[in-house]
Amino acid sequence: MTTITRFAPSPTGYLHLGHAASALFCAKQAGAQGRFLLRIEDIDQTRVRPEFVDAIYEDLSWLGLSWEKPVRVQSQHFDDYQMVLDRLGDMGLLYPCFCTRKEIQTEVARIANAPHGPDGVLYPGTCRYCTADERKDRIAAGESYALRLDMTRAIKQATGPLFWYDRKAGKQHATPEIFGDVVLARKETPTSYHLSVTHDDHIQAINLITRGEDLFFASHLHRLLQEILGYDVPEYHHHGLLTGADGKRFAKRDRAKTLRSMREEGISPDAICNQVTGI
């Protein structure tokens, strides 16, 4: 079977060494006979800037990578994600959450030993218990809300135990309940990372998902979404993360050294490739 991989950066800053490592690793897994795709994950329109999109193409080309065209740009497919949300809604798996972040923090503070998940303290389920009429009235009144996945109901949709295979960690039993009632869409961002990548990987026929080990736990939730939406299950390979001299992983928020600045300093693509091997 032809291996199909994808590198999917978010254009919210310039690419750094960690991105280079991930992109090169992804392309290597596809190999000469496989397919290497590039996807622009720009659903957070409040942070995306056009120059960062252009820079992604420039930096990856400079590294010697090439990819199939056209590139899938997520912001051009919000209608697709809405259709997925509609499907989940018709299945009774979504509910509107009117809680503000402050209200959630206040509620969680009242709970002794509040349960935590990969993204922090789990949502306490306040709005899960609203009646249908109450939800209808609050929406009609113009209250802002997010759409949450009713995790208990969603897991009941699964026909059996959920498994997925990671080439590095082996066979994994998915435990999506660790996320609680996760948000799948907000008013300002009409889809979530979890929803959009699961859908895109399916329609692009990605059969090997390579990404950093910091996203390992996300695969537990994605496996559940694949199951209830009837999507094929790809293989995974969560690779290691590059770290700087201080031991911290490279990140945009830390203003990690960018490929653009290294190129301007005269560092060669080969030097970059040699530096990021071994993840």
Side-chain angles (χ1 to χ4, degrees):
M1 182 174 62
T2 300
T3 299
I4 308 173
T5 66
R6 88 303 193 265
F7 176 59
S10 298
T12 56
Y14 292 115
L15 298 186
H16 52 64
L17 277 176
H19 292 118
S22 189
L24 291 166
F25 180 87
C26 182
K28 182 178 179 181
Q29 300 310 303
Q33 304 303 317
R35 297 171 58 199
F36 170 67
L37 307 184
L38 174 64
R39 184 165 71 223
I40 302 298
E41 299 194 342
D42 61 342
I43 60 174
D44 187 353
Q45 292 288 287
T46 62
R47 299 173 58 210
V48 167
R49 287 165 51 183
E51 58 265 35
F52 294 148
V53 178
D54 295 337
I56 288 172
Y57 299 143
E58 293 172 5
D59 289 342
L60 296 181
S61 295
W62 176 69
L63 286 175
L65 295 174
S66 59
W67 51 88
E68 295 184 15
K69 296 178 178 61
V71 170
R72 183 172 176 87
V73 179
Q74 287 187 333
S75 62
Q76 299 174 2
H77 300 280
F78 283 133
D79 287 347
D80 290 1
Y81 310 132
Q82 185 58 54
M83 286 190 290
V84 179
L85 288 168
D86 290 342
R87 283 185 61 191
L88 295 173
D90 291 342
M91 296 166 70
L93 301 182
L94 299 180
Y95 66 87
C97 174
F98 305 95
C99 299
T100 64
R101 287 182 172 85
K102 184 176 181 179
E103 288 171 339
I104 294 174
Q105 292 171 355
T106 300
E107 180 64 23
V108 167
R110 297 194 185 103
I111 303 173
N113 300 316
H116 286 64
D119 295 333
V121 178
L122 298 187
Y123 174 65
T126 307
C127 289
R128 187 191 312 130
Y129 306 105
C130 293
T131 65
D133 286 342
E134 182 179 356
R135 291 170 179 173
K136 182 178 179 180
D137 289 344
R138 296 181 72 171
I139 292 174
E143 287 193 46
S144 180
Y145 63 92
L147 288 175
R148 289 186 180 274
L149 179 70
D150 189 319
M151 184 59 69
T152 301
R153 288 188 176 186
I155 290 175
K156 288 181 179 179
Q157 289 283 332
T159 57
L162 301 173
F163 293 96
W164 50 280
Y165 182 78
D166 185 275
R167 290 188 174 183
K168 185 177 181 180
K171 187 177 181 180
Q172 302 293 310
H173 177 207
T175 54
E177 60 271 19
I178 60 177
F179 282 89
D181 290 358
V182 65
V183 170
L184 293 186
R186 297 183 185 276
K187 181 178 180 180
E188 66 275 15
T189 307
T191 183
S192 68
Y193 164 77
H194 300 301
L195 181 80
S196 56
V197 300
T198 301
H199 178 69
D200 287 351
D201 287 337
H202 170 70
I203 64 172
Q204 291 188 290
I206 305 300
N207 55 30
L208 175 60
I209 296 175
T210 67
R211 56 192 179 199
E213 59 190 9
D214 56 324
L215 290 170
F216 187 91
F217 284 107
S219 300
H220 290 261
L221 175 57
H222 299 177
R223 180 64 190 89
L224 174 63
L225 292 174
Q226 291 161 359
E227 180 74 10
I228 59 183
L229 291 168
Y231 292 169
D232 294 333
V233 183
E235 288 190 355
Y236 293 80
H237 190 137
H238 291 86
H239 57 70
L241 302 174
L242 287 185
T243 58
D246 58 0
K248 296 181 179 179
R249 69 183 180 90
F250 293 105
K252 295 172 186 175
R253 62 179 176 273
D254 298 326
R255 297 185 180 181
K257 200 166 189 179
T258 66
L259 299 183
R260 172 170 293 249
S261 66
M262 298 178 77
R263 183 166 72 247
E264 291 172 349
E265 291 173 12
I267 298 176
S268 70
D270 287 343
I272 298 293
C273 294
N274 291 333
Q275 188 173 349
V276 302
T277 56
I279 61 171

